[in-house]
Amino acid sequence: MTEETLQKKKEIKQSFRLFMNGEASRSMREKGIDYKINWGINIPDLRKMAHAYGKDYDLAIELWKDDVRECKILATMIMPPEKMLPEIVDLWMEHTPSQEIAEMAAFNLYQHLDYAPLFAYQWIASDKPLELICGFQLLARLFMKGHEPDERGINEFIDQAQVALQNESMPVRHAASTSVVRFSELGETFRQVAQSAMESIGLNLQF
């Protein structure tokens, strides 16, 4: 870590005290969302901080290393997508501590990667809840951007979505449901495929 990066990280962590929200942090803990350190800072304030520092690969790498909610969210905001290597994505996914961070990473960073679909389809085939959540949320974002899967991708997505929609985890079911809705919005053919797939497992999602 360079001296400059070290100084930036120090400034950021010191600034957390100015934005801390004890009530939000306490509420998260009560809901089972636990971090080693959680300042409870809201997302708009974190976006302002990220904007002030701009895209910074080295700073993002260093922030992600800390088991602090705000550090990890900021890391997803300031990492330049074009510099994010696949092996770093693997490492970050392995050390993703919560549903919130999985969703933030998908929204702030992973959807902008050129190879995003590869990871999305890999994760929705996982048996790990956070990978499933991240994968389906990532696909939802890609579908919203107009990414149309080919026939193989459609079959893979539908198969995994049907399984996930029957998962015992509500966050996993929610992520899968969101992605199916976004998939159906790609066009009439996609809507019909989604409708048929949902009916086959006894679900009646509104498209």
Side-chain angles (χ1 to χ4, degrees):
M1 188 187 339
T2 66
E3 185 63 35
E4 181 182 5
T5 299
L6 179 63
Q7 185 60 34
K8 287 179 181 178
K9 183 177 180 179
K10 183 178 179 181
E11 290 173 357
I12 287 173
K13 296 182 75 171
Q14 288 176 337
S15 72
F16 288 160
R17 295 183 183 277
L18 302 175
F19 297 94
M20 68 178 292
N21 185 329
E23 185 176 334
S25 177
R26 186 166 53 254
S27 176
M28 290 184 204
R29 283 197 304 274
E30 290 172 352
K31 294 174 182 175
I33 305 172
D34 204 14
Y35 299 91
K36 183 177 180 181
I37 299 177
N38 178 0
W39 295 95
I41 301 173
N42 64 45
I43 300 302
D45 283 333
L46 288 174
R47 290 200 186 285
K48 290 177 184 177
M49 294 173 65
H51 181 73
Y53 283 90
K55 298 298 183 183
D56 188 323
Y57 175 86
D58 293 330
L59 183 58
I61 291 293
E62 291 303 322
L63 285 171
W64 183 265
K65 292 177 181 178
D66 280 15
D67 189 14
V68 178
R69 170 182 175 268
E70 287 74 15
C71 284
K72 288 198 181 295
I73 293 176
L74 275 175
T76 70
M77 292 177 173
I78 67 174
M79 170 62 80
E82 68 277 7
K83 293 186 178 181
M84 186 71 163
L85 299 175
E87 51 265 37
I88 301 298
V89 177
D90 277 329
L91 186 63
W92 281 28
M93 187 71 251
E94 183 181 343
H95 294 92
T96 295
S98 69
Q99 175 187 346
E100 180 186 27
I101 301 301
E103 293 174 343
M104 286 284 100
F107 179 79
N108 295 327
L109 178 59
Y110 298 155
Q111 68 162 313
H112 303 298
L113 302 176
D114 290 339
Y115 49 86
L118 296 176
F119 275 100
Y121 285 101
Q122 173 184 318
W123 290 334
I124 66 171
S126 172
D127 59 358
K128 299 176 181 178
L130 291 181
E131 290 189 5
L132 287 166
I133 290 168
C134 194
F136 281 114
Q137 292 290 5
L138 178 52
L139 280 177
R141 300 305 305 181
L142 294 176
F143 294 152
M144 288 177 69
K145 292 164 70 173
H147 172 79
E148 295 187 4
D150 57 20
E151 183 176 355
R152 180 180 177 183
I154 291 173
N155 292 334
E156 176 72 6
F157 169 69
I158 291 298
D159 287 346
Q160 300 298 349
Q162 287 176 317
V163 173
L165 285 164
Q166 300 172 82
N167 193 287
E168 62 182 16
S169 166
M170 183 177 292
V172 169
R173 296 198 303 273
H174 175 73
S177 175
T178 298
S179 67
V180 170
V181 170
R182 297 307 182 194
F183 173 86
S184 73
E185 293 171 349
L186 286 170
E188 180 59 24
T189 299
F190 295 93
R191 189 194 69 78
Q192 291 178 4
V193 169
Q195 189 76 52
S196 176
M198 296 306 97
E199 290 175 353
S200 72
I201 58 172
L203 292 180
N204 184 24
L205 296 183
Q206 298 299 313
F207 299 121

